[in-house]
Amino acid sequence: MQLPNLAYRFYERRLAKSLPADKLPHHIGVMVDGNRRWAKLAGTPTVAGHQAGADKILEFLDWCEELNIKVVTLYMLSTDNLNREPGELRDLLEVIGTTLDRLGETNRVKVQQVGARDLLPAELAQKLAALEASTAHRTGVHVNVAIGYGGRREILDAIKSLLRDAAKDGRTLEQVTDELSTDGIESYLYTKGQPDPDLVIRTSGEQRLSGFLTWQSAYSEFYFCEALWPDFRRVDFLRALRDFADRQRRFGT
């Protein structure tokens, strides 16, 4: 092994050992951004960038498992992405489908879709339903795959479901209004029953949420990394965790 690689590995191990276990995030949201730019810089087809990003997801989840991160939410396909050029969208959906198969084959992670399943092709929607059922018993990392996801769409879906249930129960609009609370809305979100993300990471240098976990990220810490997602290294992840551990979370106070 060359000297620069030895120095890198030493630094990585030292960084990992320095992380306080009691200050690691319980739930991490990740915006896996930069796959298309990676492909363009590499001079390869766009689908190669999507595939490289998918490979990185499997590697990233291994890192999370090593550090005992309990919940991970991956922004894989937004509602806006569904409007991409048909050829690219077809390739992207194929990569996503293969990635779901690989997640199922790990025999470790528990997979849950967060998103509007009715917006997805029937085959992909069925695959997600089957994967959720087959991994429900697993006790490893809980992986939320945000596929067909939009933050505004999630809130809209939550309110619609709440109003439908109220109508079934015979409650009036005035009663619903009087009883409406943040807890009530949260119980209808795609992530109901889960803790909000402590840390949201976005790669590729962009510094915006793009509709990711709009409700749940109200008090999240954010970490923006210059690396494109396929180039995101374990040391980049460890730096994000160190930065998180060093912050004093205020929760609006």
Side-chain angles (χ1 to χ4, degrees):
M1 185 179 291
Q2 296 179 350
L3 185 59
N5 288 332
L6 281 171
Y8 170 84
R9 295 299 179 191
F10 174 76
Y11 170 66
E12 186 182 78
R13 285 196 296 270
R14 187 177 67 177
L15 185 55
K17 289 179 179 179
S18 72
L19 294 174
D22 61 334
K23 290 188 177 181
L24 292 180
H26 183 89
H27 180 177
I28 298 177
V30 188
M31 305 178 70
V32 295
D33 192 22
N35 297 334
R36 291 199 291 178
R37 272 175 281 171
W38 184 91
K40 185 176 181 180
L41 289 170
T44 60
T46 300
V47 67
H50 293 315
Q51 185 58 60
D55 294 340
K56 182 61 63 174
I57 284 174
L58 276 294
E59 188 178 4
F60 177 78
L61 292 177
D62 285 340
W63 303 339
C64 290
E65 187 176 43
E66 291 170 8
L67 293 165
N68 201 31
I69 305 299
K70 299 297 186 183
V71 185
V72 175
T73 300
L74 301 164
Y75 204 8
M76 296 175 65
L77 182 75
S78 72
T79 51
D80 292 332
N81 292 156
L82 292 169
N83 297 319
R84 287 185 177 177
E85 186 273 326
E88 182 187 352
L89 180 58
R90 181 182 61 252
D91 290 341
L92 177 54
L93 290 173
E94 184 175 335
V95 170
I96 288 173
T98 302
T99 304
L100 294 175
D101 291 336
R102 293 170 70 188
L103 288 173
E105 291 166 1
T106 64
N107 293 318
R108 299 195 308 273
V109 299
K110 177 179 179 178
V111 181
Q112 176 183 335
Q113 184 207 5
V114 292
R117 195 166 296 179
D118 60 292
L119 297 180
L120 304 178
E123 184 178 355
L124 182 59
Q126 291 166 6
K127 178 171 290 193
L128 281 163
L131 185 59
E132 286 182 343
S134 65
T135 64
H137 66 284
R138 295 180 183 173
T139 58
V141 181
H142 185 125
V143 182
N144 295 315
V145 287
I147 298 173
Y149 179 86
R152 291 178 176 177
R153 171 64 188 257
E154 178 180 26
I155 295 169
L156 182 61
D157 283 350
I159 293 173
K160 284 182 176 179
S161 295
L162 185 154
L163 291 175
R164 289 192 189 102
D165 283 353
K168 289 178 184 177
D169 293 341
R171 286 180 285 161
T172 67
L173 184 58
E174 184 176 355
Q175 287 174 317
V176 174
T177 302
D178 290 341
E179 296 168 3
L180 194 61
S181 66
T182 55
D183 287 344
I185 294 175
E186 285 175 354
S187 68
Y188 285 93
L189 295 176
Y190 302 145
T191 57
K192 60 186 176 184
Q194 299 181 27
D196 289 339
D198 305 292
L199 173 65
V200 174
I201 299 172
R202 181 167 190 165
T203 56
S204 85
E206 300 292 345
Q207 297 188 22
R208 60 181 183 275
L209 280 181
S210 301
F212 183 51
L213 300 177
T214 303
W215 179 287
Q216 298 90 331
S217 65
Y219 295 110
S220 300
E221 300 293 327
F222 299 98
Y223 185 87
F224 301 104
C225 178
E226 291 295 326
L228 302 176
W229 175 246
D231 291 330
F232 190 69
R233 304 166 299 171
R234 185 169 182 267
V235 72
D236 296 316
F237 182 44
L238 294 174
R239 285 171 176 161
L241 296 178
R242 179 182 62 184
D243 183 84
F244 174 83
D246 288 342
R247 297 186 190 184
Q248 182 179 356
R249 303 191 71 192
R250 299 184 183 278
F251 299 98
T253 59

